[in-house]
């Protein structure tokens, strides 16, 4: 059992390694980071920092997926606090004052914890997070430097400032413009004596790591009751504040495992990053893959009904009505079923992957590797290009050639026979191979011949 932490500007990596040397340290979390099977049941993952602008942000359903796998997920300080306030009722553990402020409605926007920094090099923040300024305002009120009304006014003024512009210099200038020079002088002096004096994000991150190490050393059957900080609640100073109320348990029949979640799992969860491309290659280039897909549909129904004989037929009758029974028995009419029932495989499930790749050869795998590498090299040489520039019409012409079909209707039918619900999905599956495929066609042409797509 291991403790992992995703950190960035809120809590520098050297500080984490110094105080918690056994923790596995990762950079700021981004979309897909919680799907890998490196996080096993019993592990503890602490989410502190995450990417906002440079890459897609960490999605809620990635956290739910990790919780379902038995991973304990703790959030604090930054995006971790925000996600914990949104997901604590589902089992995510929130720690610290920032989490409590989001939970209690003091802040409701991600800009309150956002920090601008470069994508490469140092992740040191360029601005003061609003939650850190809020911590300073509360301390100043307690010290008698600011009145509650003045603290509210200053906080609300900084909220209207675009977050990268909330620098220390800007805070001091705004305070003086609003007649709060005593606060500006006090704030500057406190930071000069201790640069981390009001760094609430860092304090919360370290508190979360301490909790995570305790959880990691004492395995438990389920996540503890989500809590806020161990500190007493402060008097709120913004208009959005409200009293904290216990979070009721969630009771819903709705399933959060949507098709988007399955697609993300197919990209990030398999141990082999090329697995989805290997399956796509089979769907497009293996001549009798429609038979593989038909058997796969039977397997899915049998698995759902625990191996009950005739489960797929019963499923068809339930979903499509009694007239569909004869479709199942007629190879020609099967296309009506595949046109209407086209589930998205779960490639993180080894059984699905094994069934779909049952005809894969070593030559197929080598060709997938070669064609993907050709694509990568081509895009590296031409950074102004992207696969999305290969139009759907071009993909349709290529697919007609590959599958030896000639009309839009037969093309659409062949897509569904291969587990590709429409031309759009087939084009998405084909694009990573298009450059390699065209290269192979060109190599087969006599000297002076042309390849047209």
């Amino acid at each position: 059992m291991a403790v992992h932490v995703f950190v960035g500007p809120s809590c520098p990596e050297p500080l984490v390694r110094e105080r918690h040397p056994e923790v596995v340290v990762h950079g700021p979390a981004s979309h897909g980071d919680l799907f890998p099977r490196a996080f096993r049941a019993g592990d503890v993952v602490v989410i502190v920092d995450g990417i906002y602008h440079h890459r897609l942000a960490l999605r809620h359903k990635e956290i739910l997926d990790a919780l379902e796998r038995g991973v304990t997920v703790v959030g604090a300080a930054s995006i971790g606090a925000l996600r914990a306030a949104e997901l604590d009722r589902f089992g995510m553990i929130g720690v610290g004052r920032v989490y409590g402020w989001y939970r209690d409605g003091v802040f409701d926007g991600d800009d309150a914890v956002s920090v601008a920094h470069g994508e490469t090099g140092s992740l040191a923040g360029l601005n003061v997070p609003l939650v850190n300024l809020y911590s300073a305002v509360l301390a100043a009120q307690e010290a008698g430097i600011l009145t509650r009304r003045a603290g509210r006014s200053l906080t609300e003024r900084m909220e209207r400032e675009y977050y990268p512009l909330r620098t220390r210099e800007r805070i001091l200038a705004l305070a003086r413009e609003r007649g709060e020079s005593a606060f500006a002088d006090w704030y500057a002096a406190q930071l000069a004596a201790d640069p981390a004096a009001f760094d609430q994000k860092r304090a919360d991150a370290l508190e979360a790591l301490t909790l995570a190490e305790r959880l990691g050393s004492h395995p438990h059957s389920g996540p503890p009751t989500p809590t806020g900080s161990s500190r007493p609640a402060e008097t709120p100073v913004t208009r959005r504040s409200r009293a904290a109320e216990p979070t009721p348990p969630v009771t819903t029949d709705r399933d959060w495992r949507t098709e988007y979640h399955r697609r993300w799992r197919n990209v990030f969860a398999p141990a082999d990053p090329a697995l989805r491309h290997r399956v796509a290659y089979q769907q497009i280039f293996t001549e009798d893959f429609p038979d593989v897909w038909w058997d796969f549909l039977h397997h899915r129904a049998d698995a759902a009904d625990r191996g009950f004989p005739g489960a797929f037929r019963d499923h068809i009758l339930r979903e499509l009505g009694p007239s569909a029974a004869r479709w199942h028995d007629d190879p020609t009419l099967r296309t009506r079923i595949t046109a209407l029932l086209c589930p998205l495989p779960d490639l993180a499930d080894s059984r699905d992957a094994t069934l779909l790749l049952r005809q894969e050869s070593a030559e197929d795998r080598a060709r997938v590797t070669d064609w993907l590498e050709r694509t990568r090299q081509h895009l590296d040489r031409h950074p102004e290009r992207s696969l999305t520039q290969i139009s759907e019409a071009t993909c349709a012409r290529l697919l007609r050639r590959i599958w030896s079909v000639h009309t839009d209707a037969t093309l659409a039918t062949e897509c569904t026979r291969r587990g590709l619900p429409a031309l759009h999905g087939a084009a998405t599956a084909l694009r990573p191979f298009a450059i390699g495929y065209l290269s192979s066609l060109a190599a087969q042409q006599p000297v002076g011949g042309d390849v047209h797509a």
Side-chain angles (χ1 to χ4, degrees), residues 124-326:
L126 305 177
N127 61 287
V128 178
L130 187 61
V131 291
N132 287 0
L133 174 61
Y134 184 65
S135 180
V137 166
L138 292 175
Q141 289 178 178
E142 187 175 343
I145 306 297
L146 278 178
T147 65
R148 186 176 303 174
R149 182 176 182 179
R152 179 185 303 112
S153 176
L154 182 59
T155 302
E156 290 177 347
R157 175 62 186 87
M158 288 305 301
E159 282 185 303
R160 296 194 297 272
E161 199 83 2
Y162 182 42
Y163 80 87
L165 303 181
R166 295 170 187 159
T167 62
R168 176 180 172 181
E169 293 72 21
R170 182 62 174 158
I171 291 171
L172 295 175
L174 282 176
R176 292 191 170 99
E177 286 175 11
R178 303 179 76 82
E180 302 296 343
S181 295
F183 170 76
D185 294 340
W186 174 85
Y187 181 68
Q190 294 293 316
L191 292 179
D194 179 7
F198 307 113
D199 197 338
Q200 193 59 55
K201 293 177 71 174
R202 178 180 299 192
D204 286 1
L206 293 174
E207 182 180 343
L209 282 167
T210 299
L211 171 64
E213 287 197 318
R214 190 168 76 246
L215 293 174
S217 61
H218 296 87
H220 53 284
S221 58
T225 302
T227 63
S229 172
S230 57
R231 304 176 182 84
E234 302 88 1
T235 303
V237 299
T238 68
R239 288 176 295 182
R240 290 192 307 276
S241 301
R242 59 178 173 80
E245 298 175 359
T247 302
V250 169
T251 55
T252 178
D253 293 330
R254 298 185 65 183
D255 193 346
W256 54 268
R257 301 166 191 81
T258 62
E259 183 172 320
Y260 283 111
H261 167 253
R262 176 67 57 80
R263 291 188 185 280
W264 299 335
R265 276 172 56 87
N266 286 349
V267 172
F268 297 109
D272 178 4
L275 182 60
R276 75 185 191 279
H277 294 304
R278 290 166 53 198
V279 171
Y281 178 90
Q282 294 296 307
Q283 289 177 290
I284 295 169
F285 295 101
T286 297
E287 183 176 357
D288 55 355
F289 188 83
D291 293 334
V292 174
W293 182 251
W294 185 250
D295 290 344
F296 173 76
L297 293 178
H298 276 78
H299 159 76
R300 287 287 296 265
D302 292 346
D305 283 359
R306 306 183 181 216
F308 178 74
F312 186 49
R313 175 188 284 272
D314 289 348
H315 177 68
I316 290 172
L317 295 178
R318 287 195 305 269
E319 295 295 320
L320 305 180
S323 62
R326 64 189 184 92

Side-chain angles (χ1 to χ4, degrees), residues 6 30 32-36 39 45 47 58 62-63 65-66 69 73:
F6 290 89
S30 62
D33 283 348
L34 289 194
F35 281 117
F39 306 121
V45 173
I47 301 171
L58 183 70
E62 301 175 51
I63 298 173
D65 187 271
R69 301 197 316 265
V73 185

Side-chain angles (χ1 to χ4, degrees), residues 39-54:
F39 306 121
R40 300 185 299 273
D43 286 351
V44 182
V45 173
V46 181
I47 301 171
V48 173
D49 290 298
I51 295 295
Y52 287 87
H53 288 169
H54 306 87

